[in-house]
Amino acid sequence: MPRSPQIAVSPAQWRLLNLLARFGQARRILEVGTLIVSNHVVRKGAVADAASTDANVRGVRRYLELVAAEPRVQAAGVQTVGLKGYDGFCIALVVA
């Protein structure tokens, strides 16, 4: 019997700097069909600034680089706009 796809959500309470460690741990056990959703990855646009010295921005940039470099994963970043300004999330799907 086929297994149901997994969904891995990185809740808002996870510290952004832990995204790196959590993705590193998770990618060892990810199965095809697993969906990974990580929020607060736009950081009010600061993540687009490669020269930023903010530790959270640098952590998110490194996380997105790791996700992009993982050959088993297809991912997209989505910018959102709301009452609190703009931010976004990353959706990654394990395909292989």
Side-chain angles (χ1 to χ4, degrees), residues 42-73:
V42 174
R43 307 297 299 166
K44 297 183 180 178
V47 76
D49 180 6
S52 176
T53 58
D54 180 277
N56 285 321
V57 170
R58 294 173 61 88
V60 168
R61 287 182 62 87
R62 182 67 186 127
Y63 169 73
L64 295 174
E65 290 167 358
L66 284 175
V67 171
E70 176 55 57
R72 300 178 303 144
V73 171

Side-chain angles (χ1 to χ4, degrees), residues 25-94:
Q25 294 166 357
R27 68 183 172 176
R28 291 192 295 264
I29 61 170
L30 295 177
E31 298 178 8
V32 172
T34 300
L35 182 67
I36 304 165
V37 181
S38 306
N39 60 357
H40 301 301
V41 299
V42 174
R43 307 297 299 166
K44 297 183 180 178
V47 76
D49 180 6
S52 176
T53 58
D54 180 277
N56 285 321
V57 170
R58 294 173 61 88
V60 168
R61 287 182 62 87
R62 182 67 186 127
Y63 169 73
L64 295 174
E65 290 167 358
L66 284 175
V67 171
E70 176 55 57
R72 300 178 303 144
V73 171
Q74 291 184 354
V78 179
Q79 180 176 314
T80 58
V81 180
L83 293 174
K84 296 181 179 180
Y86 66 97
D87 201 350
F89 56 94
C90 175
I91 300 174
L93 177 64
V94 179

